């Protein structure tokens, strides 16, 4: 009986050791990897190598220039040498290659539809342009303006030249009893009123609350205000910093729009009773507003060298080379912005390992990188329209990835907090397993030290 009991006791010990080893094996081989996998931070793969190469990306702008000579402008010996091509390259971060082709003028030609198309305008998808007529004194002035005809004749050709850059919408409104909010000063010498240059910034805020177009628009709004001063403050003029009257009697604010003061002829008050009918000269007004549009879009008049004449723009207010220059500048600006954003995002995700990188964020990053290289290739080929579209897509995708809310979910949940949460759950189960493994190891170690008896 004693022998049988000893054998049973040995079997129980062996069974206990096997159970402890089995539980330890399951916990280590299956449980620990499963727990580690289910609690890890999901991070989709990103093109870190391609992003690191963006800073060394060299942009090459292809600029074709055609010089047209009349038949009598060159001698016969010089005419034989035409046409010729001059290539100019300069090794700077931006590589410019100018191809100048010369030919004789055959006849006048109209610009093709391809030349009429143009782009320019940063990463935004469109603009809303609002023309507002401000009549603060409707009892004295019956102001009438043909805004529809003016937009169709002056503004729409200008926007058609920029239509490929985004969506443009134009609307108009008339606001009565809308004052500028700044009391003009009276000048006894000229018997007129004036607005000093330092008061102009205070003119916009009171009027902007009456416009109401920015709250209902998905795109940035450009406001152009035509202000007919009230009878008590007529005529009203705008002064520059030196105190001289501004020739256009208008001013503009970057990224907001412009304001023009339209004075009523003083003789009209003597010719009829109040309210005086005022027919706005839309040609003069739109000339000012189109000039302000050019400034807001970054299209400025070039500085000409001596003895050079500048041909004015066509009816749409834009020259083809002006649109091209605008496309170059905006494309390069967009590529620089997208490169900086992608590089900063890659550095941020590389330093902080517990930021979640979802698939949609990775998709935007890949799309932005591809768009950057596509824009650079299109610039090299001289395709400015497609280069601008690709550069705008690069900016949009990079900003979507950088400002995605999912990047901040686990930013303040480091690994030490994760272990602090899970250790109280696993410790009660791990202690018996670890003690059993230690006991088994000690017994095996003792058995190795015992002498082996050979009968």
């Amino acid at each position: 009986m004693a022998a049988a009991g000893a054998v049973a006791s040995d079997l129980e010990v062996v069974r206990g050791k096997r159970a402890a080893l089995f539980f330890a094996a399951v916990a280590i081989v299956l449980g620990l990897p499963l727990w580690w996998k289910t609690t890890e931070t999901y991070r989709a793969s990103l093109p870190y190598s391609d992003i690191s190469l963006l800073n060394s990306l060299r942009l090459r702008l292809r600029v074709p220039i055609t010089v047209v000579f009349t038949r009598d402008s060159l001698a016969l010996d010089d005419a034989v040498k035409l046409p010729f091509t001059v290539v100019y390259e300069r090794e700077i971060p931006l590589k410019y290659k100018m191809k100048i082709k010369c030919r004789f003028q055959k006849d006048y030609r109209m610009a093709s539809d391809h030349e009429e198309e143009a782009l320019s305008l940063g990463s935004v998808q469109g603009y809303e342009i609002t023309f507002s007529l401000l009549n603060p004194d409707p009892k004295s002035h019956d102001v009438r303006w043909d805004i529809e005809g003016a937009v169709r004749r002056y503004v729409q050709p200008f926007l058609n030249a920029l239509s490929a850059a985004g969506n443009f919408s134009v609307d108009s409104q008339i606001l009565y009893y809308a004052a500028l909010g700044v009391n003009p000063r009276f000048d006894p010498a000229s018997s007129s009123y004036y607005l000093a240059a330092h008061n102009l910034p205070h003119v916009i805020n009171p009027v902007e609350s009456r416009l109401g177009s920015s709250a209902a628009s998905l795109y940035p709004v450009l406001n152009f205000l035509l202000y007919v001063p009230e009878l008590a403050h007529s005529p009203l003029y705008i002064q520059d910093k030196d105190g001289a009257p501004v020739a256009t009697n208008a001013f503009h604010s970057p990224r907001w729009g412009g304001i023009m003061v339209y004075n009523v002829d003083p003789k009209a008050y003597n010719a009829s009773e109040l309210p005086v009918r005022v027919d706005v000269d839309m040609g003069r007004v739109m000339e000012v507003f189109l000039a302000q549009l050019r400034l807001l879009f970054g299209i400025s008049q070039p500085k000409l060298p001596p003895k050079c004449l500048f041909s004015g723009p066509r009816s749409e207010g834009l020259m083809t080379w002006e649109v091209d220059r605008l496309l170059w500048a905006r494309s390069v600006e967009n590529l620089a912005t997208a490169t900086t954003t992608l590089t900063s995002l890659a550095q941020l995700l590389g330093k902080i390992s517990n930021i979640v990188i979802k698939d949609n964020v990775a998709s935007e990053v890949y799309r932005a990188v591809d768009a950057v290289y596509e824009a650079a290739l299109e610039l090299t080929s001289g395709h400015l329209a497609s280069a601008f579209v690709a550069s705008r897509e690069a900016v949009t995708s990079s900003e979507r990835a950088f400002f995605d809310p999912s990047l901040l979910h686990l930013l303040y949940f480091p690994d030490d907090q994760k272990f602090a949460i899970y250790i109280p759950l696993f410790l009660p189960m791990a202690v018996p397993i670890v003690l059993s493994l230690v006991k088994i190891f000690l017994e095996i170690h003792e058995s190795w030290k015992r002498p082996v008896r050979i009968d």
Side-chain angles (χ1 to χ4, degrees):
M1 295 294 294
V7 173
S9 178
D10 293 338
L11 292 177
E12 290 294 333
V13 173
V14 173
R15 188 180 296 112
K17 293 180 179 180
R18 291 178 179 177
L21 291 175
F22 176 78
F23 284 124
V26 171
I28 296 175
V29 177
L30 184 61
L32 186 60
L34 183 62
W35 169 76
W36 188 266
K37 186 66 177 178
T38 54
T39 58
E40 71 175 353
T41 302
Y42 180 77
R43 295 171 64 89
S45 61
L46 296 180
Y48 290 102
S49 58
D50 294 336
I51 295 176
S52 62
L53 296 176
L54 292 180
N55 291 326
S56 60
L57 180 64
R58 298 182 63 86
L59 300 180
R60 185 177 182 181
L61 307 181
R62 188 175 182 181
V63 185
I65 299 176
T66 301
V67 181
V68 182
F69 296 93
T70 59
R71 289 291 178 181
D72 300 331
S73 61
L74 293 178
L76 182 61
D77 296 338
D78 297 331
V80 175
K81 302 177 182 178
L82 296 178
F84 63 90
T85 301
V86 178
V87 178
Y88 170 74
E89 295 185 358
R90 185 180 180 185
E91 292 295 333
I92 54 177
L94 294 179
K95 187 177 183 181
Y96 296 88
K97 184 177 183 181
M98 302 179 64
K99 292 187 176 181
I100 305 177
K101 296 182 179 180
C102 302
R103 64 175 175 84
F104 282 109
Q105 177 186 5
K106 295 182 179 179
D107 52 6
Y108 293 99
R109 65 185 182 91
M110 298 298 293
S112 61
D113 294 337
H114 177 71
E115 292 174 339
E116 295 291 337
E117 297 180 356
L119 295 178
S120 58
L121 302 178
S123 59
V124 297
Q125 300 298 322
Y127 285 92
E128 180 178 344
I129 301 176
T130 301
F131 294 97
S132 302
L133 173 61
L134 275 61
N135 186 1
D137 191 7
K139 295 181 180 180
S140 302
H141 301 141
D142 181 16
V143 184
R144 303 183 183 184
W145 65 338
D146 184 16
I147 187 61
E148 294 183 0
V151 169
R152 183 171 57 254
R153 181 178 179 182
Y154 300 101
V155 181
Q156 201 59 50
F158 182 88
L159 298 181
N160 289 339
L162 300 174
S163 59
N167 300 319
F168 293 93
S169 61
V170 182
D171 56 14
S172 62
Q173 60 183 343
I174 300 178
L175 301 178
Y176 296 98
Y177 302 101
L180 295 181
V182 176
N183 292 326
R185 295 185 178 182
F186 181 71
D187 183 13
S190 60
S191 298
S192 61
Y193 293 84
Y194 67 93
L195 289 174
H198 65 273
N199 289 328
L200 297 182
H202 305 287
V203 172
I204 296 178
N205 291 337
V207 178
E208 190 174 17
S209 61
R210 294 286 305 274
L211 299 179
S213 57
S214 59
S217 176
L218 298 177
Y219 301 134
V221 180
L222 298 178
N223 297 283
F224 295 94
L225 278 59
L226 181 63
Y227 180 75
V228 180
E230 51 189 332
L231 180 59
H233 293 156
S234 296
L236 177 62
Y237 299 99
I238 298 176
Q239 293 182 348
D240 57 14
K241 297 181 179 179
D242 299 329
V246 179
T248 59
N249 211 22
F251 70 96
H252 76 282
S253 178
R255 298 186 181 182
W256 185 86
I259 297 179
M260 179 181 180
V261 177
Y262 191 89
N263 289 312
V264 181
D265 188 359
K267 299 179 181 180
Y269 299 111
N270 301 327
S272 61
E273 297 180 354
L274 299 179
V276 177
R277 176 171 175 174
V278 181
D279 294 320
V280 178
D281 184 0
M282 298 306 297
R284 179 164 65 94
V285 172
M286 286 301 168
E287 182 180 0
V288 175
F289 284 160
L290 282 180
Q292 292 177 345
L293 267 175
R294 290 172 56 91
L295 293 176
L296 293 173
F297 289 156
I299 307 173
S300 58
Q301 295 290 345
K303 295 182 179 180
L304 300 179
K307 298 182 180 180
C308 288
L309 299 178
F310 176 72
S311 177
R314 300 187 295 268
S315 59
E316 64 269 21
L318 283 175
M319 299 291 288
T320 304
W321 64 267
E322 290 179 323
V323 178
D324 291 344
R325 185 179 64 175
L326 184 62
L327 289 180
W328 303 335
R330 293 297 179 266
S331 298
V332 173
E333 178 183 353
N334 290 342
L335 291 181
T337 302
T339 300
T340 303
T341 303
L342 291 173
T343 303
S344 301
L345 180 61
Q347 294 176 354
L348 176 66
L349 298 179
K351 293 180 179 179
I352 306 177
S353 59
N354 26 329
I355 295 182
V356 177
I357 306 177
K358 292 187 176 180
D359 292 334
N360 62 322
V361 176
S363 178
E364 294 291 347
V365 172
Y366 276 99
R367 188 179 295 110
V369 172
D370 293 339
V372 169
Y373 285 103
E374 180 183 357
L377 181 61
E378 294 296 337
L379 284 177
T380 304
S381 303
H383 303 154
L384 300 179
S386 55
F388 176 79
V389 173
S391 67
R392 186 173 60 184
E393 182 181 356
V395 173
T396 303
S397 298
S398 62
E399 290 182 348
R400 285 177 182 173
F402 190 86
F403 295 104
D404 192 276
S406 64
L407 297 178
L408 300 178
H409 283 177
L410 293 181
L411 182 59
Y412 299 103
F413 189 66
D415 292 334
D416 55 351
Q417 296 185 13
K418 180 171 65 175
F419 286 109
I421 292 175
Y422 286 105
I423 285 178
L425 299 177
F426 294 143
L427 191 61
M429 179 185 65
V431 170
I433 296 177
V434 172
L435 293 178
S436 300
L437 291 179
V438 172
K439 184 178 180 181
I440 294 174
F441 175 77
L442 292 177
E443 291 180 355
I444 294 175
H445 184 68
E446 290 294 334
S447 64
W448 287 349
K449 291 184 178 179
R450 296 172 186 171
V452 179
R453 188 177 65 177
I454 301 176
D455 295 334

